[in-house]
Each structure stands twice: as C-alpha cells, then as structure tokens.
Amino acid sequence: MSKKFVVGQIGCGAFARAQHGPNCCRNEHIAKIKWACDVSKDNARTYAQQFGAEKTTSSFEDVTTDPEVDVICIATSHEAHVPIIESAAKHGKHVFCEKPMAMDELQSYKIIRAVRTSKIKLCVDYMRRTAPAMLALKREWLAHKANPQRQPWRYIEKPHEKLIEETATDFLVRVQDESSSYRMVHLDPFRGGGLIIGEATHWLDLACWLFDDDRPVQILAWGSARMRYGIHLSFQGGNAATIIFTPNGSFDYPKEMFEIACDGALFRMEHWVENQYYGRPGTEKEVFSLQRDCAPEVGKQGGLSGYLEKHKATVSSTTNAKKVWNDLVPNHGWEENFDGFIDSIINGSPTPCDELAGYRATLLGNLAIKSIELNKPLPVPVDKWDYHVELQ
Ligand SMILES: NC(=O)c1ccc[n+]([C@@H]2O[C@H](COP(=O)([O-])OP(=O)(O)OC[C@H]3O[C@@H](n4cnc5c(N)ncnc54)[C@H](O)[C@@H]3O)[C@@H](O)[C@H]2O)c1
C-alpha cells in the first residue's frame, strides 16, 4: 500500500473546479485536499465547500510551506506560476501545473532550474497526449508507418520510388471555438498572453509528442496571436503540423478535429469521441466514452453522431452553458494526465508531460507570435530546443 498524498490547490477558479478538484477526489492515492488557496476569497471558499478542503487562504506560501502537503495543483492565471513553483520546489512539493507552464523563456528557465535542483516531479496539463482517442490515433498511424497496407482498389498510375514529400506525415488540427465564452483574462497580454500562448501551446505540444523522434526546425504563423491564427510547424524529417484556429465558430459542433495523413492513409479524430481510419484494409472506426455523460439515454451508438444527439438533448433542456460544459464532457485526457502524474511520483518515473515539454511548447508559441509580428517564417534554433540549464 503506497503512501497517500495531501494536496494543496492554488487557484480555485472555473477550471480547478471543473477538473482539478474532481480528479483529486477520484484518485485513490490522494488522502485529502487540505488547502484551497485563491486571491479571491469567494473562489477559495466555493472550492473548499465543493471538494472538502480543510483550510482556505489567499497566500500561496501557506500552502507551499505546509509540511503536511505533498502535491501542489496550480490553476491560477498564467503569470503567477514562477514564484509558486519556486516555493513549492524549495519545500519539496510535487507540482501539477496548468498550461501554459510559463509565458516566456525566462519564466521557463526559472521553473526548470527550480524543479531539477529540488528533484521534484512537475507535470504540465497538456493532457491531450494522454487522451484514449489520441493514443489510439497515434497507435494506428505508427502501425501504418511501420507496415503500410494498401486498399486493393487503390489506383496506382505507375509504381515509382517515393519522392521526399511522400515519405513525410502531415498533422492537421482544426479548431473552431466560440469567443463569446472566453474569460477575458486569458486575452490579457501579461496575465493570459492570448490564445497562442494559452491554447495553441496545447496543439504545438501535441505535434511534438506525435513526432517525438523528430525535431521542429521552422515555424510560420499568420493572423492574430490573441485569438485568430494559423501555425505551420515543419520538422527536420519532413513531417509537418498545421493548426487552424477560429474564434468565430459554434459549440453546436465539436471544437476540435485532428487528421494525420501518411503514405496513402488518413487517420481522423473527431472531438475525442470517434476515430476514423481510411486507406488501410479492414480498419473500423473506433468510438470512445465521454469523461462525463449527462445524457446516457440518448446517442447510445456513441461516436460523433452519438455525441451530437447527447448535445442536442442537453441544450434543449437547459440554457445554462456552464452546466452543459461540466456535465457533457468528451475525454480530453484530464483524468489520465493527473493519474499519470501521481503514478510518476509513486514509481519514480517521468511525468506524462515534464518541465522540458512545458518549456518547448512555450518556446514554439512565442516563436509563432514573433512570426506573425515579422510576417515571415522563423527557425527553431537548435540550442533553444536542446535546452541546457546549468544547476548551481
Ligand atoms: N488543461 C485544460 O484543458 C484547461 C482548460 C481551461 C483552463 N485551463 C487553465 O487553467 C488555469 C485557470 O483557468 P480558469 O479558466 O480556471 O481561470 P479563472 O480565472 O476562472 O481561475 C483562475 C483563478 O486563479 C486565481 N489566482 C490568480 N492569481 C493567483 C495567485 N497568485 N494566487 C492564488 N490564486 C490566484 C484567480 O483569483 C482565479 O480564481 C489557466 O492556466 C488556464 O489556461 C486549462
């Protein structure tokens, strides 16, 4: 029987209540949430009541210096991370940190140094890496890459040696978001950083995780770093990721769609609930359960059509969008990422998304912003990627 951990929650706003609290409460290795810390007393109190936290405070040092606390969960606005992580690390607490881990290189440097000096575990909540649908998509793509299969009817004009472009994989991320739902702090240049730093870092991280044996070498971005953009990330081996983000869509249709195109095959994921595989003989679509399903009586077939039926049933019985978001939730990997973090402490293994990955997403996000400002593609410098932090 392994030790059970005591948690301190710092930042008790919407996301802490939607995911951190529930995921701590359901993890069998968590003994209790001792602290609810927020500069807003109301938010701290609400969180404490909801998840049974023993104490509330507005000072994060009450939490990071408490000898009983083992794990700190951070869900503050983005600019607040560095002093909290430095103090947590100094006092030997492991850290589960909301994304983005840092807003710029200097913040990242300080965090990496603090984490490695104190030898604590840090996990960034780029949880899409751990979502069952995303893991299945990667698995199917890798299987095809290793052993390409052809549909018998595939048209081949004349067999030829592969050209370089035909040896690469293309990863497309299409995001259609609804800007009316945004908390404006996320668009504040110094507290949120806009939606490349706040959101695109999710998909930049995902692209690096997908092409994990390849290294990004060039980035080209266009549009507005605040909330409407495209990003093209090229890798040394020829692979590429393209992210298209619009804030002008509708949540009546799912927000995210992913496509991986490779060697005559297409691997497609719709909103974490359905994977479709095309171009390989005998492959069937896969469907995935929701993290929370408040309409189990409809859309029982699952997948995209099932999700759309559940959505329709849910929104027709309420006008409370927050209730819809909290109660009908496709599985983006939040529970799996948190559980993986706790397991990494128990087993002494790497966390699902460590401080280097957190830094790299921030690096790419900032290069994308620079690319927009300069209106040109930029290199991803090798020394920025292969990052060296000298410990004192
Ligand atoms: N991983 C995901 O899928 C996902 C989804 C949504 C939000 N997030 C992230 O979660 C974090 C919180 O977002 P949110 O939507 O809950 O925002 P929010 O504004 O609702 O909550 C942030 C809370 O942090 C508090 N806070 C700010 N500075 C503080 C400090 N120094 N000490 C203590 N409390 C402080 C605020 O008072 C507020 O209650 C952000 O990093 C956001 O990017 C992640």
Side-chain angles (χ1 to χ4, degrees):
M1 182 71 182
S2 58
K3 169 181 158 49
K4 291 204 173 205
F5 300 113
V6 173
V7 172
Q9 177 72 44
I10 302 178
C12 298
F15 193 68
R17 298 204 288 269
Q19 290 292 343
H20 287 202
N23 295 342
C24 282
C25 290
R26 59 167 280 291
N27 186 292
E28 59 177 340
H29 303 292
I30 302 298
K32 64 179 177 185
I33 301 172
K34 180 166 179 184
W35 289 97
C37 166
D38 201 297
V39 288
S40 151
K41 286 197 167 71
D42 279 350
N43 282 357
R45 204 175 311 116
T46 305
Y47 179 100
Q49 280 163 0
Q50 204 172 336
F51 301 106
E54 289 173 3
K55 292 177 169 241
T56 61
T57 177
S58 56
S59 162
F60 71 79
E61 282 172 327
D62 287 340
V63 188
T64 54
T65 58
D66 181 341
E68 201 191 352
V69 169
D70 306 292
V71 167
I72 305 278
C73 291
I74 304 175
T76 61
S77 43
H78 305 156
E79 87 293 355
H81 293 175
V82 174
I84 299 172
I85 295 174
E86 284 183 332
S87 178
K90 191 170 156 207
H91 294 92
K93 320 293 186 198
H94 304 290
V95 175
F96 186 78
C97 181
E98 259 324 309
K99 56 79 198 170
M101 179 187 86
M103 294 177 68
D104 59 28
E105 182 182 350
L106 183 59
Q107 291 183 3
S108 303
Y109 183 82
K110 289 178 176 176
I111 290 171
I112 295 175
R113 202 173 55 185
V115 166
R116 293 187 181 171
T117 303
S118 302
K119 298 189 170 61
I120 58 151
K121 298 281 182 192
L122 178 136
C123 182
V124 187
D125 200 12
Y126 289 127
M127 73 294 155
R128 282 162 172 78
R129 299 161 160 239
T130 62
M134 186 55 71
L135 289 166
L137 202 71
K138 185 173 182 179
R139 179 198 70 216
E140 291 297 311
W141 163 60
L142 287 176
H144 182 71
K145 212 157 85 88
N147 179 21
Q149 308 277 309
R150 306 281 170 232
Q151 293 287 24
W153 53 264
R154 189 176 186 222
Y155 180 69
I156 298 172
E157 169 77 18
K158 183 179 166 200
H160 65 263
E161 283 288 311
K162 272 195 192 137
L163 302 174
I164 288 176
E165 297 93 314
E166 294 173 293
T167 64
T169 294
D170 290 309
F171 181 42
L172 173 69
V173 182
R174 193 273 289 134
V175 188
Q176 63 91 26
D177 210 350
E178 260 197 55
S179 57
S180 64
S181 68
Y182 295 171
R183 250 181 303 290
M184 296 306 277
V185 64
H186 297 315
L187 306 184
D188 179 299
F190 296 102
R191 299 188 61 212
L195 294 193
I196 286 189
I197 286 298
E199 285 271 282
T201 46
H202 264 305
W203 303 297
L204 291 165
D205 171 71
L206 202 57
C208 298
W209 166 81
L210 190 72
F211 299 133
D212 58 1
D213 57 352
D214 208 349
R215 175 169 69 82
V217 288
Q218 190 189 69
I219 195 160
L220 169 66
W222 59 94
S224 157
R226 186 165 59 195
M227 55 145 92
R228 184 167 171 252
Y229 52 80
I231 302 175
H232 186 77
L233 186 62
S234 309
F235 289 73
Q236 192 169 38
N239 298 321
T242 307
I243 301 163
I244 305 289
F245 184 100
T246 174
N248 298 323
S250 162
F251 287 155
D252 272 342
Y253 193 81
K255 174 174 157 179
E256 290 169 70
M257 190 274 295
F258 301 87
E259 282 183 358
I260 302 174
C262 170
D263 201 350
L266 185 73
F267 306 88
R268 189 161 196 269
M269 191 242 273
E270 290 266 17
H271 202 45
W272 317 99
V273 290
E274 176 170 322
N275 285 3
Q276 304 146 9
Y277 310 124
Y278 301 99
R280 273 171 80 77
T283 44
E284 299 292 334
K285 79 172 187 190
E286 280 185 272
V287 297
F288 299 88
S289 341
L290 277 67
Q291 183 192 15
R292 291 176 206 145
D293 183 356
C294 62
E297 68 289 354
V298 293
K300 287 188 174 145
Q301 73 276 26
L304 183 62
S305 69
Y307 172 79
L308 289 173
E309 282 175 31
K310 289 172 189 296
H311 174 79
K312 198 168 169 192
T314 310
V315 296
S316 66
S317 63
T318 178
T319 51
N320 182 348
K322 288 197 173 150
K323 185 169 157 34
V324 179
W325 288 339
N326 277 330
D327 295 351
L328 190 68
V329 187
N331 187 355
H332 292 57
W334 292 290
E335 291 176 1
E336 288 80 356
N337 198 36
F338 183 74
D339 290 351
F341 162 65
I342 295 297
D343 289 348
S344 77
I345 302 171
I346 294 168
N347 302 326
S349 53
T351 67
C353 184
D354 69 9
E355 64 280 1
L356 182 63
Y359 152 72
R360 285 175 166 172
T362 295
L363 166 73
L364 295 175
N366 279 304
L367 285 172
I369 293 170
K370 201 80 192 154
S371 167
I372 290 175
E373 287 167 2
L374 298 174
N375 196 21
K376 63 178 190 185
L378 293 176
V380 180
V382 67
D383 56 313
K384 296 286 183 195
W385 188 252
D386 185 27
Y387 206 56
H388 174 71
V389 175
E390 181 69 10
L391 302 181
Q392 284 138 351

